[in-house]
Amino acid sequence: MFANPLAPEWLEAPAEANSLPSTVWSRNSARTESGELAIAGVTVTALVRDFGTPVYVIDEADAIARATDIAAAFESEFARIGTTVKVYYAAKAFLCTEVARWMTAAGLNIDVASAGEMAVALAAGVDASRLGFHGNNKSLSEIDRAVCAGIGPIVIDSVVEIGRVAEAAARHGRTQRVRLRINSGVHASTHEYLATAREDQKFGVPLAEAEAVVAQIRSHSSLEFVGIHSHIGSQIFDTAGFAEAARRLLELHARLSVDAPVPELNLGGGFGIAYTSVDRALPVAELAASLASIVEAECTRLGIVVPVIAIEPGRSIIGPSTTTLYTVGTIKDVLVDGEAVRKYVSVDGGMSDNLRTALYGADYSARLANRTSEADPALVRIAGKHCEAGDIVVRAEYLPGDVELGDLIAVPATGAYGWAMSNNYNYLARPPVVAVRDGHARVIVRGETEDDLLRRDAGITPLGESE
Ligand code: LLP
């Protein structure tokens, strides 16, 4: 099979450029008989006719199934070692009221990282006690609103927050449940992890100081200490980093349990997903089994009761559920170093609807969506429409070489940190989010209009008239 020397080493020229690898595409993605992509029974041409492009298409049943699967896998593996699990959906990956309701109906709690995320969850009718609250710099007003609403555990991130939360709780006549975020010194990235005394980052208090900090928390009668927390990174593919963090945390947990019982241990989120056909995400059952075995072995070694375990997955629940659809606007064959051609396929979105490629150099895959083609695959780079050379959606992919203007391109696995990090660069309007299920499509977040974009400019809409 033809391969382009400009292709990255990992990218194989596909035997079948129209295939939809099940590891990458949402569960209900398929080609119709005529060859076009349909998601949950809705064809891309129907979606684009009704909602335009770009559009985020979320496979509702896929998102819900992943939430239920992860909860079921962890519950059953941890039941085996005699404890229970609280699953918090990490809302930062993607949140709107509809998704908040899907998650809570599936039995999950929700982890919010700002008053804004909390407001969305509350607007969805989620009971405040089912929310956890994170952040390394929560404002006094955020703390006040959270405590007043009766929020679940607040994760204290630094010593200065102890007094802030204690004072707000006392003012509202509440006993506020709190966790303490620990900087465990373990950092995991996709394929490797690093274990140091203290990870060089802004979150949490160092392991070595944790006992003194917990003593301070316990000295406040308006606070109830429920346990420690750590989150070692995101898009993690193996369990070694989680294992090391769990060992370190459980040792601390055992020391903290000497003075008073510590009911819970929160291991954070970060479970990786496949963005391309070469990524191998750990099956949730395997991940849960492996974490349960580590926790069991450590608790036995330390002679402590297995605590209730909390986890906070975001990406692994919502990431694979969503596909972004774009329309091809221009195509250029660029001869690189006089050596080989890279086909630049420009679409009608870009770093405003998916910042991850530009920001992290993240890799995605793509398919021709409105049709199949038997043309020889060509190496393409899918670029956006922004005035910036780094505005790339998919850095490298093989698409049928006859890709043409007006074709639809589908980029899978855009559900996590796609819409959530979308922006208005170049005054592009943010696309809608459309949920598809059993042959039906409905908007769950409407797309922005030019009016939305102009409304906050005080020179156009005088202040006071915008609402
Ligand atoms: N819990 C805490 C405390 C976190 O900080 C995060 C993510 C999560 C849970 C959920 O992690 P997940 O399961 O989604 O990997 N914008 C980046 C990812 C930043 C993650 C920040 N924290 C990206 O697009 O890859």
Side-chain angles (χ1 to χ4, degrees), residues 166-241:
E167 201 269 325
R171 193 156 17 89
H172 290 286
R174 291 185 184 273
T175 305
Q176 178 60 48
R177 300 167 70 223
V178 296
R179 305 184 203 275
L180 176 65
R181 176 144 183 185
I182 305 295
N183 180 335
S184 69
V186 178
H187 180 81
S189 66
T190 301
H191 291 294
E192 55 197 23
Y193 83 92
L194 201 82
T196 53
R198 183 171 184 186
E199 196 202 336
D200 188 5
Q201 49 92 340
K202 68 180 180 174
F203 293 109
V205 303
L207 262 177
E209 292 163 27
E211 280 172 272
V213 178
V214 170
Q216 266 196 58
I217 293 174
R218 282 174 163 158
S219 73
H220 289 272
S221 58
S222 61
L223 301 181
E224 179 192 343
F225 176 65
V226 296
I228 49 178
H229 169 279
S230 102
H231 171 77
I232 60 166
S234 212
Q235 184 59 357
I236 300 168
F237 281 147
D238 75 273
T239 51

Side-chain angles (χ1 to χ4, degrees), residues 56 349-354 386 391 421-425 428 430:
Y56 301 100
M351 62 195 292
S352 50
D353 62 76
N354 186 353
H386 293 275
D391 169 34
M421 298 201 298
S422 63
N423 58 78
N424 292 126
Y425 184 34
L428 260 65
R430 274 176 279 221

Side-chain angles (χ1 to χ4, degrees), residues 351 354-362 364 388 390-393 395:
M351 62 195 292
N354 186 353
L355 191 56
R356 297 191 69 259
T357 308
L359 192 59
Y360 311 122
Y364 282 86
E388 182 154 336
D391 169 34
I392 303 298
V393 180
R395 299 198 305 164

Side-chain angles (χ1 to χ4, degrees), residues 7 50 66-67 74 103 118 123-124 135 149-151 153 157 184 191 202 222 231 303 315 353 357 400 409:
D50 293 344
R66 284 178 207 272
F74 274 82
M103 294 303 138
M118 179 177 76
I151 201 158
D157 195 89
S184 69
H191 291 294
K202 68 180 180 174
S222 61
H231 171 77
R315 186 192 318 265
D353 62 76
T357 308
I409 299 291

